Amino acid sequence: MDWQPLWLTFRLAIITSCILFVLALPLAYWLAFTKFKGKGIIEAVIGMPLVLPPSVLGFYLLLAFSPSHWFGAWVENILGLRLVFSFPGLVIGSVIYSLPFMVYPLRAGLQSLPVSLREASFTLGKGRWETFYKILLPNCKSAILTSLVLTFAHTIGEFGVVLMIGGNIPGVTKVASVAIYNEVEALNYDVANQYALVLFAITFVILLLVYSLNNRFLRVRQTS
């Protein structure tokens, strides 16, 4: 078994999770506490990857990232990056595809906090963002952990999007899910089983740790 697809998969998952965590924090706060008429449209756009077939999203991203499209051409000419069949393209596609898995748990965690926390902070003269980072986030440890793990695990399991955007280039875009597909196509079931078992074991351990930590946070919160 070649370990390179597994390393590439975890590298993609880590980078995607870190980028999304930075982007999703202010977005989740804004969605949790802002009210305006077009909010439902924005929430629907963010949640599209939850119901949209991955191949559909991957197809449109492939068109957008193509050098023949204005966006792909602009990125390649200005930034010097070719997004089609490249690792940077996989990262951008994964960020878009996993966005709701990071945003929605964070938003739910923020909305579950008592309103008195924000009101007390505002009364003491704290601003919105200072209240967010110093008061609300420390009380959302469970939601933060859940969002990070869901995003990480979801990225590991991506297939349709990464296959459409990245193809099957060893060492560049050939992640574990694509490697499993290739081995099954070649009737190499033993190798496919090895890849699958590694992913199964790692995701199970991650989820086990998350549930254990979440239960610990709940016990601490109930006793405090």
Side-chain angles (χ1 to χ4, degrees), residues 121 126-139:
S121 179
K126 304 294 183 180
R128 289 188 176 182
W129 292 112
E130 189 176 4
T131 298
F132 175 51
Y133 285 108
K134 293 185 178 180
I135 306 298
L136 301 183
L137 277 188
N139 289 280

Side-chain angles (χ1 to χ4, degrees), residues 23-92:
L23 296 177
L25 280 177
L27 181 58
Y29 177 82
W30 182 68
L31 290 175
F33 302 115
T34 303
K35 296 181 179 180
F36 63 98
K37 292 183 178 180
K39 183 178 178 180
I41 298 176
I42 295 177
E43 290 179 326
V45 171
I46 294 174
M48 283 292 287
L50 292 173
V51 296
L52 197 65
S55 56
V56 174
L57 180 61
F59 171 70
Y60 285 115
L61 289 178
L62 177 65
L63 294 180
F65 292 172
S66 172
S68 60
H69 190 270
W70 70 265
F71 178 76
W74 180 83
V75 172
E76 186 170 353
N77 293 332
I78 303 300
L79 303 179
L81 290 176
R82 178 178 285 268
L83 298 181
V84 177
F85 307 123
S86 68
F87 187 76
L90 289 188
V91 172
I92 296 177

Side-chain angles (χ1 to χ4, degrees), residues 8-219:
L8 197 65
T9 298
F10 293 122
R11 181 184 168 203
L12 177 63
I14 291 172
I15 294 175
T16 299
S17 299
C18 292
I19 293 175
L20 274 178
F21 185 67
V22 175
L23 296 177
L25 280 177
L27 181 58
Y29 177 82
W30 182 68
L31 290 175
F33 302 115
T34 303
K35 296 181 179 180
F36 63 98
K37 292 183 178 180
K39 183 178 178 180
I41 298 176
I42 295 177
E43 290 179 326
V45 171
I46 294 174
M48 283 292 287
L50 292 173
V51 296
L52 197 65
S55 56
V56 174
L57 180 61
F59 171 70
Y60 285 115
L61 289 178
L62 177 65
L63 294 180
F65 292 172
S66 172
S68 60
H69 190 270
W70 70 265
F71 178 76
W74 180 83
V75 172
E76 186 170 353
N77 293 332
I78 303 300
L79 303 179
L81 290 176
R82 178 178 285 268
L83 298 181
V84 177
F85 307 123
S86 68
F87 187 76
L90 289 188
V91 172
I92 296 177
S94 297
V95 166
I96 296 173
Y97 187 48
S98 295
L99 180 62
F101 292 87
M102 182 69 77
V103 172
Y104 288 155
L106 288 173
R107 185 189 65 173
L110 291 170
Q111 290 177 331
S112 67
L113 296 176
V115 180
S116 57
L117 280 177
R118 295 178 66 224
E119 293 177 345
S121 179
F122 293 153
T123 302
L124 293 173
K126 304 294 183 180
R128 289 188 176 182
W129 292 112
E130 189 176 4
T131 298
F132 175 51
Y133 285 108
K134 293 185 178 180
I135 306 298
L136 301 183
L137 277 188
N139 289 280
C140 286
K141 294 178 181 178
S142 178
I144 292 174
L145 182 61
T146 300
S147 62
L148 285 171
V149 171
L150 283 177
T151 302
F152 184 85
H154 185 252
T155 305
I156 288 177
E158 286 182 20
F159 177 71
V161 172
V162 296
L163 185 63
M164 294 290 288
I165 299 175
N168 182 20
I169 306 175
V172 181
T173 61
K174 185 181 177 181
V175 295
S177 58
V178 177
I180 293 174
Y181 176 77
N182 289 341
E183 298 300 337
V184 171
E185 267 199 327
L187 302 180
N188 296 326
Y189 296 123
D190 290 338
V191 179
N193 184 50
Q194 292 175 19
Y195 282 122
L197 282 177
V198 171
L199 292 180
F200 180 88
I202 292 175
T203 52
F204 177 78
V205 171
I206 290 174
L207 289 175
L208 182 62
L209 290 174
V210 168
Y211 283 119
S212 300
L213 289 174
N214 273 339
N215 291 332
R216 183 179 177 184
F217 289 148
L218 287 175
R219 287 195 298 268

